[in-house]
Amino acid sequence: MTFEIKEGNKIGLINQNIVDTALFTDEHDGALLETVRLSESFFDQLKRHPVPLQESAIRAISNNSQALDIYFWLVCRLHERVTVQKVSWPALKVQFGASYTHMRNFKIRFRDALQIALAIYPEARVGIDEDGVTLSPSASPVSRRLPKKMR
């Protein structure tokens, strides 16, 4: 994954490896993930900045990888957002649609997958228009309170 950082008139990029290694088992119905080792820097980031994902939401869209990617992206970007941000179609295509040759085709697929992601994250305040997507501060998809048995 590549992250863009802006500070004043400076723009930078961070390349983040998520997985160092993965082991798959070859089964009759297809390969199954047996073990995965997250990169140390990604794991450290997760410990320092946990992302509030809703397990039931992940299960509900687990058969749609693009909707799952968009759901994760929205949760990461929205739950701590304090200002409105516009993300252009070209920037979205770089992140979510590098395999699409034509922007027109990417927009159609992205809009469909976004609607699925928004259905399971109704708190997300997202606008979509001809220029791209507008992200607004939104409530987390999960409660910040710990269950009674963990208090």
Side-chain angles (χ1 to χ4, degrees):
M1 289 170 61
T2 301
F3 299 92
E4 182 179 300
I5 301 169
K6 292 182 182 179
E7 185 179 315
N9 64 349
K10 298 176 185 174
I11 297 175
L13 297 175
I14 296 174
N15 285 321
Q16 175 70 63
N17 287 331
I18 295 175
V19 174
D20 280 341
T21 60
L23 179 64
F24 296 88
T25 302
D26 187 16
E27 295 289 327
H28 298 291
D29 298 325
L32 300 174
L33 182 62
E34 188 173 300
T35 61
V36 64
R37 179 175 170 81
L38 298 177
S39 72
E40 190 170 327
S41 60
F42 182 66
F43 185 70
D44 288 342
Q45 288 294 325
L46 287 176
K47 288 190 299 189
R48 279 186 270 159
H49 308 284
V51 178
L53 299 174
Q54 192 172 38
E55 287 184 50
S56 61
I58 293 169
R59 279 193 298 275
I61 62 171
S62 63
N63 63 338
N64 188 322
S65 62
Q66 188 171 34
L68 193 58
D69 288 346
I70 293 170
Y71 169 74
F72 181 71
W73 176 71
L74 289 174
V75 172
C76 289
R77 300 289 292 269
L78 296 178
H79 84 280
E80 292 185 347
R81 176 151 301 288
V82 293
T83 61
V84 173
Q85 179 187 19
K86 185 75 172 184
V87 183
S88 70
W89 283 113
L92 291 166
K93 188 173 178 294
V94 166
Q95 185 164 355
F96 295 103
S99 63
Y100 289 92
T101 305
H102 301 288
M103 179 64 79
R104 175 183 71 248
N105 295 337
F106 167 70
K107 285 182 181 182
I108 292 167
R109 300 289 184 179
F110 183 86
R111 286 175 194 258
D112 291 344
L114 176 63
Q115 291 309 311
I116 293 168
L118 292 174
I120 62 166
Y121 185 9
E123 302 86 358
R125 295 182 51 225
V126 176
I128 190 166
D129 60 28
E130 287 305 311
D131 296 326
V133 171
T134 303
L135 306 175
S136 297
S138 303
S140 169
V142 296
S143 171
R144 293 198 180 269
R145 294 181 64 212
L146 292 174
K148 287 181 182 181
K149 65 181 179 181
M150 294 184 74
R151 288 186 207 163

